Amino acid sequence: MLPQVEVGKNCILKDCIIDRHCVIPDNMHIGVDKELDAKRFRVSSSGKVVLVTEAMLERLKGNEVVEESHLD
């Protein structure tokens, strides 16, 4: 977890990298269900690490986000 990250109550974070300025909402589970993680976030080619960015979390809330080409 990078600096300036807020984690809500009752979260489970396993084998993940959380980018700066992310706000993880209450009750979010990351790194627990790899199939669900692959739909919501970016999973490493090995399938062992989940990357979470602020833009990915905004998309989950239904907000439109500019493309994150810096992750390619």
Side-chain angles (χ1 to χ4, degrees):
M1 194 167 2
L2 295 176
Q4 302 166 334
V5 171
E6 294 180 36
V7 179
K9 296 176 183 178
N10 303 313
C11 291
I12 297 174
L13 307 176
K14 295 173 66 176
D15 302 319
C16 57
I17 298 171
I18 310 296
D19 200 8
R20 291 178 190 268
H21 309 293
C22 286
V23 178
I24 307 298
D26 293 347
N27 303 306
M28 176 154 288
H29 296 183
I30 301 172
V32 177
D33 181 338
K34 296 298 181 180
E35 281 187 38
L36 182 58
D37 289 339
K39 292 176 185 175
R40 302 184 302 176
F41 308 116
R42 181 169 253 176
V43 179
S44 67
S45 58
S46 67
K48 295 181 179 180
V49 178
V50 181
L51 172 66
V52 179
T53 67
E54 187 175 15
M56 293 171 191
L57 292 168
E58 285 299 314
R59 268 195 227 87
L60 285 178
K61 293 191 241 178
N63 297 331
E64 190 172 327
V65 177
V66 178
E67 187 177 327
E68 293 182 301
S69 58
H70 68 280
L71 296 176
D72 293 329

